[in-house]
Amino acid sequence: MEAVEGSSQNEFNAKISALRRLLDHHGVDAVLLRRASSFAWATCGGASYVNTAASEGAASLLVTREQLFLAASVIEAPRLEQEEKLVDQGWTFQIAPWHTPTAALEKLTAGRTLISDVPYQGAAVAAAEIARLRAHLTPEEAGRFRVLGRLCAESLTAAVQQVRPGMSEYELAALLSGEAQKRGVLPVVNLVATDERAFLYRHPLPTGKKLQKYAMLVLSGRRWGLVCSITRLLHFGPPPADLQRRIEAAARVNAALVASTRPGVTLGEVLNTGIQAYAAGGYPDEWRRHHQGGIAGYEPRELLATPGSPERLSANQALAWNPSIAGAKMEDTILTDEQGFENLTPTPLWPVLPVEVNGQTVPCSLALEL
């Protein structure tokens, strides 16, 4: 397995202790983790996925008060043992034949009361509680997130420098994917919109449409299980006045969200500052047309900010805000601390609008003119 930067026995022990506290809280025998995100979190970066479009991995973890089990088929077990080194980490493997891949897990769970991160044979679903565990980063995870943020920013920058008018959105997506994968980052979200499509769709899957002047590129990249998100805009020649106005208005919403992101504040309170900024910028209803982001971690968003959400932020959490106004979008991944925020995805190539909010300066990337 590729070395996971900053992983430690202390990090692993803390996660297993948190899971055992959770099973004690629920009064059950074991915690079952089937999501690829939960698997990566609990193993400090292990990869259980094969089909990257599936939320559940090809191996499962079962944590009891005394033991740690990993259930997998004969196909997955060798890699998980030899490359991921999960036997060395302390997991007892239960291996099933490829033609009955769930047999090992069914045997392990038989007769046990469970909580699980997905629905499973009568287990109580504790998905939100497990997501909260994933969302509170250890210092080691914060260090890995910093590396991932840099790699995602470098990937997008390298891709954009190869973009030319006449390329299709498929070609732009291929450039972005290729640059990410060169750096060991898996693009789990790869969206591209050019010209009028940027004004029509908030989740623009790439098409064969050819670029004329304007493009929006969106990347959520996964490495060590963590997922970091970034969006950037580019325009051949100066953007039209209306587009520039939309981009700058989105930047001011982004600055309001980022500046209000601090430990002790709720997601609902942060969202409200963004809603107010939309109205102040002359776009009062745009926040209704797409979610505004929230806490990141081992999913692109572990917990979304919704109106009135009571979820309180803490230090050492990653957040990705993504305010959008038809045609314009802002998105970086930040890390919270007691003093404020750290942007994990800066891209020096892009022009920046520094926005002052309550004594803080939030640099917001505008459209790159090519």
Side-chain angles (χ1 to χ4, degrees), residues 310-339:
E311 190 73 31
R312 291 198 180 276
L313 300 177
S314 64
N316 247 27
Q317 285 188 308
L319 291 98
W321 298 113
N322 49 259
S324 61
I325 295 167
K329 181 185 176 186
M330 297 283 137
E331 185 176 33
D332 282 292
T333 301
I334 64 172
L335 189 67
T336 60
D337 59 34
E338 297 295 347
Q339 285 71 48

Side-chain angles (χ1 to χ4, degrees), residues 18 29 53 63 68 82 94 131 145 201 205 271 353:
D29 299 326
V63 176
L68 305 175
Q82 295 164 23
Q94 300 291 313
F145 237 131
Y201 309 114
L205 299 180
L271 176 61
L353 177 67

Side-chain angles (χ1 to χ4, degrees), residues 162-176:
Q162 303 170 63
V163 172
R164 299 292 182 269
M167 286 183 170
S168 72
E169 292 174 350
Y170 290 138
E171 290 176 284
L172 270 61
L175 288 174
L176 184 54

Side-chain angles (χ1 to χ4, degrees), residues 3-336:
V4 174
E5 278 85 344
S7 61
S8 71
Q9 190 64 41
N10 287 341
E11 178 188 354
F12 178 69
N13 291 343
K15 291 176 176 180
I16 298 306
S17 295
L19 289 170
R20 285 175 169 154
R21 287 193 297 272
L22 191 60
L23 71 86
D24 285 340
H25 175 74
H26 284 269
V28 295
D29 299 326
V31 180
L32 174 63
L33 303 178
R34 302 201 71 191
R35 295 185 71 91
S37 55
S38 300
F39 186 102
W41 170 77
T43 59
C44 304
S48 66
Y49 60 84
V50 175
N51 174 3
T52 58
S55 60
E56 294 181 28
S60 301
L61 304 175
L62 189 76
V63 176
T64 73
R65 288 175 177 81
E66 299 83 23
Q67 291 179 283
L68 305 175
F69 296 105
L70 187 155
S73 78
V74 67
I75 301 172
E76 311 307 327
R79 184 186 65 82
L80 293 172
E81 177 182 356
Q82 295 164 23
E83 291 190 341
E84 303 283 0
K85 302 190 184 304
L86 296 184
V87 170
D88 295 346
Q89 195 177 61
W91 300 95
T92 298
F93 277 44
Q94 300 291 313
I95 303 172
W98 65 263
H99 50 89
T100 55
T102 63
L105 182 60
E106 290 168 0
K107 182 177 180 181
L108 274 177
T109 57
R112 285 190 164 109
T113 57
L114 307 172
I115 56 173
S116 175
D117 60 350
V118 296
Y120 178 80
Q121 297 184 4
V125 177
E129 291 168 278
I130 293 168
R132 288 187 183 93
L133 294 181
R134 297 194 304 258
H136 288 83
L137 304 178
T138 65
E140 296 91 341
E141 287 170 311
R144 296 199 286 274
F145 237 131
R146 289 185 179 95
V147 176
L148 176 58
R150 174 178 56 79
L151 294 173
C152 287
E154 288 177 356
S155 300
L156 199 149
T157 299
V160 162
Q161 291 176 298
Q162 303 170 63
V163 172
R164 299 292 182 269
M167 286 183 170
S168 72
E169 292 174 350
Y170 290 138
E171 290 176 284
L172 270 61
L175 288 174
L176 184 54
S177 177
E179 292 297 340
Q181 300 235 40
K182 283 180 188 176
R183 293 165 173 79
V185 175
L186 180 67
V188 295
V189 176
N190 185 355
L191 304 178
V192 177
T194 59
D195 305 300
E196 69 275 8
R197 289 191 76 240
F199 293 80
L200 295 174
Y201 309 114
R202 305 294 166 126
H203 285 166
L205 299 180
T207 71
K209 184 196 171 302
K210 294 187 183 300
L211 166 65
Q212 298 173 41
K213 290 189 174 182
Y214 182 48
M216 175 188 301
L217 281 73
V218 182
L219 171 67
S220 291
R222 176 197 283 162
R223 186 164 175 175
W224 309 299
L226 298 167
V227 181
C228 179
S229 299
I230 179 174
T231 295
R232 289 294 183 268
L233 312 172
L234 65 96
H235 199 281
F236 286 87
D242 178 64
L243 175 57
Q244 185 67 22
R245 184 165 51 250
R246 290 167 180 264
I247 293 171
E248 291 184 9
R252 291 187 173 90
V253 177
N254 182 65
L257 292 166
V258 170
S260 59
T261 300
R262 58 186 184 276
V265 176
T266 68
L267 282 176
E269 289 168 340
V270 179
L271 176 61
N272 192 53
T273 66
I275 292 172
Q276 293 173 14
Y278 274 108
Y283 299 92
D285 295 322
E286 287 292 304
W287 73 273
R288 301 180 186 277
R289 296 186 170 94
H290 191 273
H291 73 76
Q292 303 302 299
I295 302 173
Y298 289 82
E299 300 281 355
R301 304 294 186 273
E302 296 284 9
L303 298 162
L304 281 178
T306 55
S309 169
E311 190 73 31
R312 291 198 180 276
L313 300 177
S314 64
N316 247 27
Q317 285 188 308
L319 291 98
W321 298 113
N322 49 259
S324 61
I325 295 167
K329 181 185 176 186
M330 297 283 137
E331 185 176 33
D332 282 292
T333 301
I334 64 172
L335 189 67
T336 60

